[in-house]
Amino acid sequence: MPLWISRLISPESHAYGKLLSNLTAQIDELLEDPSKLENTEHEIIYHHLLTSKEGRELPSRQSLVDEASVMVAAGSDTIGNTCTIGSFHVLSNPEIHSKLFEELRSVWPHGDLDVKFEMLEKLPYLTAVIKESLRLSHGVVNPLPRVVPSTTVIADEVIPAHAVVSMGATFMHLNAQIFKDPLEFRPERWLNDEKVPGMDEYLVPFSKGPRSCIGIKYVFIVIGMIDASKLNLLS
């Protein structure tokens, strides 16, 4: 769709179209002169995608655009959204803020020194804050379609083979039968005293199964480091 049409229909979709346009221009520039990769400050994804390996063809121009857009959306935008929602709730609730700050201080008493994620990942309350932030930010909110391989029953409904079904993560994350008071930001729900058995199975911001997001560990590392550093600076 031309950008001028998307601007008329929806400013939001126009912004995404503009992003794709900028990424495409960047890729065209690198395809025309791959030596420009030598001028980057550090290794980026194009170093891998545009480097020919034995027995592997280079991705097409469209494939490069698709990979770039996924990296921006899944690797940056979703993380930023999760951190924003988590920060809002932590800073809006003095009790949550105090608990998280005291836990961070137990392993990071001197804020001017670096802290490693290996230390942060062992903190139960920080992990609970990250999970609750993921639950209320949802990750990808649009339904992800799946083809039913054989006739099966879903929610008491018989679904024929080869039918396409889908469900957005919001329906799971805001289900009051799984998460009590689902609109409330409460990290304690993920701790032993309140945790419902099997609740982790219903946290699906990364989807589930063989098509789930491979960046789940990366996201926990990045959000953990950002949340800890940000709270340390603000406090």
Side-chain angles (χ1 to χ4, degrees), residues 104 106-109 114-124 126 225:
L104 287 172
S106 68
V107 298
W108 197 7
D114 292 335
V115 63
K116 296 185 179 298
F117 180 72
E118 288 79 359
M119 300 169 62
L120 298 178
E121 68 177 344
K122 299 175 183 179
L123 302 180
L126 174 61
M225 295 298 291

Side-chain angles (χ1 to χ4, degrees), residues 131 175-181 186-203:
K131 288 183 177 181
N175 188 332
Q177 294 181 329
I178 303 170
F179 303 102
K180 183 180 178 182
D181 300 321
R186 194 171 73 247
E188 286 76 12
R189 74 171 79 246
W190 299 99
L191 302 177
N192 291 333
D193 292 342
E194 292 192 29
K195 192 171 183 179
V196 176
M199 194 168 67
D200 279 294
E201 297 179 8
Y202 299 103
L203 183 65

Side-chain angles (χ1 to χ4, degrees), residues 19-232:
L19 170 64
L20 291 180
S21 179
N22 291 339
L23 291 174
T24 302
Q26 183 185 63
I27 289 167
D28 286 340
E29 185 177 353
L30 291 174
L31 288 175
E32 183 178 347
D33 184 8
S35 66
K36 290 186 176 181
L37 285 172
E38 300 174 4
N39 300 324
T40 58
E41 295 182 4
H42 54 79
E43 194 174 74
I44 58 177
I45 187 174
Y46 296 130
H47 283 91
H48 299 275
L49 295 177
L50 294 176
T51 300
S52 179
K53 294 183 179 180
E54 185 178 352
R56 192 192 75 176
E57 295 183 6
L58 292 179
S60 66
R61 176 176 178 270
Q62 185 57 52
S63 293
L64 291 170
V65 173
D66 293 340
E67 291 290 344
S69 62
V70 168
M71 286 295 294
V72 171
S76 302
D77 190 61
T78 51
I79 291 176
N81 185 49
T82 301
C83 288
T84 298
I85 289 176
S87 297
F88 169 79
H89 286 289
V90 169
L91 297 176
S92 298
N93 190 309
E95 183 178 354
I96 293 176
H97 178 276
S98 177
K99 287 182 179 179
L100 183 58
F101 179 72
E102 290 303 318
E103 186 180 66
L104 287 172
R105 271 289 179 259
S106 68
V107 298
W108 197 7
H110 306 291
D112 56 333
L113 301 178
D114 292 335
V115 63
K116 296 185 179 298
F117 180 72
E118 288 79 359
M119 300 169 62
L120 298 178
E121 68 177 344
K122 299 175 183 179
L123 302 180
Y125 200 74
L126 174 61
T127 300
V129 168
I130 294 174
K131 288 183 177 181
E132 193 71 342
S133 301
L134 288 167
R135 185 182 71 85
L136 288 179
S137 63
H138 305 297
V140 178
V141 297
N142 60 293
L144 302 175
R146 297 289 185 268
V147 178
V148 178
S150 59
T151 301
T152 187
V153 177
I154 301 177
D156 298 325
E157 296 289 338
V158 177
I159 309 298
H162 310 303
V164 177
V165 299
S166 63
M167 184 185 75
T170 50
F171 293 100
M172 188 77 81
H173 293 161
L174 300 181
N175 188 332
Q177 294 181 329
I178 303 170
F179 303 102
K180 183 180 178 182
D181 300 321
L183 295 178
E184 180 183 351
F185 187 91
R186 194 171 73 247
E188 286 76 12
R189 74 171 79 246
W190 299 99
L191 302 177
N192 291 333
D193 292 342
E194 292 192 29
K195 192 171 183 179
V196 176
M199 194 168 67
D200 279 294
E201 297 179 8
Y202 299 103
L203 183 65
V204 292
F206 305 95
S207 188
K208 287 286 186 179
R211 299 292 294 173
S212 62
C213 177
I214 62 174
I216 180 171
K217 183 66 175 179
Y218 166 77
V219 169
F220 269 85
I221 292 174
V222 172
I223 294 178
M225 295 298 291
I226 291 176
D227 282 356
S229 300
K230 185 166 46 184
L231 187 63
N232 176 63

